[in-house]
């Protein structure tokens, strides 16, 4: 497992050159804020430790990396992702028959996909994911893009008064809003016991890059755990509506285009993103065409 603390801290707008050289590959920035396309690397081949370290540095720096024309097998996908940490087995999504660490994503001609909400993968876990690695198996010629959002930039741009207001607040993250409808009543009871709602700081610190990150998402956050301890109000509805208004304001930050990058998929495109500092949204504009994907998710660390 490769770790690095060499990532630079957040800047208002990147002044990096458009194309940067790393050990074993190049990256070309997609936007001034987030995203980069990786070139000069074949993920079917073994990668040395220096290249893996550079990939991790690039991930922390650019937050999502795009690789084109990477015709890797499911076994290679798992092996590649495992270089960056232990892989999770998702409790709800269907798995690859030979590799339970790979989830199979996508609807079919009779059922739409349902990932079109801004979210960070498995933030409902006590120890959420560090990163996800998604490969396109099949996609429509048009539509089905994915959007990623730089939530460190979203936090940095907040008004100072809002930063003061959310300092010390904790949000409750829950598996059920996103996945409860996919479960039978028995499965809901089992998973409720296995995955109780958890609290994470509204503003977390990136353990490698050091940035402050706005860590609430409308896919899994249900409420603020300690809003009443800090809020000032006259009567009860001030408290309740104040909490709802603040959460909705924070959720909306992910929808700001200036914090986003958008990827048009092609078969054998891979996106590798940092779940600690980003949210994403899978655009569902292609139904009844089919989009099939495989994803490996790397276990991270407890937010602080």
């Amino acid at each position: 497992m490769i770790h690095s603390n060499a990532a630079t801290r957040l800047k208002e707008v990147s002044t990096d050159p458009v194309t940067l050289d790393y050990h074993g590959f190049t990256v070309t920035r997609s936007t001034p804020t987030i995203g980069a396309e990786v070139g000069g690397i074949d993920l079917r081949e073994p990668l040395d430790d220096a290249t893996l370290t550079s990939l991790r540095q690039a991930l922390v720096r650019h937050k999502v990396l795009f690789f084109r024309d990477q015709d890797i097998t499911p076994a290679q996908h798992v092996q590649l992702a495992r270089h960056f940490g232990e892989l999770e087995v998702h409790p709800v999504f269907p798995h690859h028959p030979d590799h339970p660490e790979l989830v199979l994503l996508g609807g079919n001609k009779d059922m739409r996909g349902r990932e079109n909400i801004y979210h960070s993968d498995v933030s409902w876990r006590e120890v959420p994911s560090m990163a996800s690695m998604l490969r396109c198996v099949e996609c429509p010629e048009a539509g089905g893009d994915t959007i990623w959002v730089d939530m460190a930039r979203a936090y940095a741009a907040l008004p100072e008064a809002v930063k003061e207001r959310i300092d010390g607040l904790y949000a409750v993250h829950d598996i059920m809003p996103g996945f409860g409808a996919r479960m039978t009543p028995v499965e809901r009871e089992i998973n409720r016991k296995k995955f109780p709602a958890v609290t994470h700081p509204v503003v977390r610190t990136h353990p490698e890059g050091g940035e402050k990150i706005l860590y609430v998402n409308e896919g899994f956050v249900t409420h603020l755990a300690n809003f009443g301890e800090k809020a000032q109000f006259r009567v009860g509805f001030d408290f309740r509506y104040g909490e709802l208004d603040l959460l909705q304001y924070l959720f909306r930050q992910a929808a700001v285009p200036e914090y986003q990058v958008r990827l048009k998929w092609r078969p054998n495109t891979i996106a590798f993103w940092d779940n600690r500092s980003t949210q994403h949204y899978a655009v569902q504009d292609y139904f009844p065409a089919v989009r099939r994907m495989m994803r490996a998710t790397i276990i991270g660390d407890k937010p602080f």
Side-chain angles (χ1 to χ4, degrees):
M1 178 167 45
I2 304 297
H3 290 279
S4 170
N5 291 313
T8 57
R9 290 182 176 272
L10 180 74
K11 301 174 185 177
E12 280 294 307
V13 175
S14 177
T15 56
D16 294 336
V18 172
T19 300
L20 299 166
D21 287 311
Y22 283 80
H23 179 90
F25 58 91
T26 62
V27 300
T28 301
R29 290 190 296 125
S30 304
T31 78
T33 302
I34 178 175
E37 191 154 325
V38 179
I41 192 169
D42 186 344
L43 298 180
R44 297 172 299 179
E45 301 298 326
L47 303 178
D48 60 30
D49 284 350
T51 300
L52 291 166
T53 296
S54 290
L55 280 172
R56 189 167 187 128
Q57 291 173 344
L59 177 69
V60 173
R61 187 175 192 170
H62 301 287
K63 298 181 173 60
V64 54
L65 303 177
F66 306 127
F67 305 80
R68 296 290 192 182
D69 303 318
Q70 301 289 337
D71 188 10
I72 61 175
T73 67
Q76 290 170 324
H77 189 165
V78 169
Q79 182 181 32
L80 175 63
R82 192 170 279 138
H83 282 304
F84 298 93
E86 182 183 355
L87 304 186
E88 72 158 34
V89 175
H90 199 281
V92 181
F93 282 133
H95 307 145
H96 188 281
D98 299 320
H99 302 282
E101 304 93 341
L102 283 182
V103 299
L104 308 179
L105 299 172
N108 53 48
K109 65 181 180 61
D110 300 314
M111 182 182 71
R112 296 177 184 270
R114 290 188 287 182
E115 293 79 39
N116 54 336
I117 188 170
Y118 288 108
H119 65 284
S120 176
D121 289 334
V122 303
S123 70
W124 41 265
R125 289 188 183 271
E126 184 175 3
V127 178
S129 64
M130 169 261 183
S132 293
M133 188 177 288
L134 182 67
R135 182 174 75 91
C136 177
V137 178
E138 177 185 0
C139 57
E141 291 186 6
D145 299 353
T146 300
I147 297 166
W148 284 267
V149 191
D150 181 350
M151 298 309 295
R153 181 73 183 94
Y155 173 77
L158 287 174
E160 289 303 317
V162 176
K163 291 180 181 178
E164 292 176 9
R165 191 178 180 196
I166 64 178
D167 182 41
L169 286 181
Y170 284 78
V172 177
H173 298 242
D174 194 339
I175 187 176
M176 290 302 167
F179 292 104
R182 302 171 189 244
M183 304 176 196
T184 66
V186 172
E187 289 171 335
R188 282 196 292 272
E189 184 176 353
I190 292 170
N191 282 303
R192 177 77 294 163
K193 293 176 181 177
K194 289 177 63 176
F195 304 105
V198 298
T199 59
H200 298 310
V202 168
V203 181
R204 71 175 294 181
T205 302
H206 198 289
E208 298 177 62
E211 305 102 321
K212 297 294 185 182
I213 298 155
L214 181 60
Y215 195 65
V216 294
N217 70 86
E218 65 178 334
F220 300 120
V221 168
T222 58
H223 62 285
L224 299 172
N226 59 334
F227 181 80
E229 297 173 17
K230 297 190 64 175
Q232 296 181 356
F233 54 91
R234 303 161 300 150
V235 291
F237 62 78
D238 279 359
F239 163 70
R240 186 60 179 148
Y241 285 110
E243 178 186 8
L244 293 174
D245 288 347
L246 178 58
L247 261 184
Q248 288 299 319
Y249 176 84
L250 297 177
F251 290 158
R252 287 197 299 272
Q253 302 312 303
V256 176
E258 284 80 0
Y259 310 155
Q260 298 179 349
V261 64
R262 183 166 177 149
L263 174 68
K264 177 175 175 53
W265 292 98
R266 300 197 301 261
N268 293 320
T269 296
I270 293 174
F272 182 28
W273 68 91
D274 191 330
N275 268 310
R276 300 164 296 188
S277 57
T278 67
Q279 293 184 34
H280 56 284
Y281 182 110
V283 181
Q284 304 292 336
D285 58 354
Y286 55 92
F287 183 80
V290 174
R291 192 187 79 159
R292 296 191 299 118
M293 320 289 271
M294 293 184 187
R295 189 188 80 195
T297 300
I298 302 152
I299 297 171
D301 39 58
K302 190 171 178 60
F304 64 91

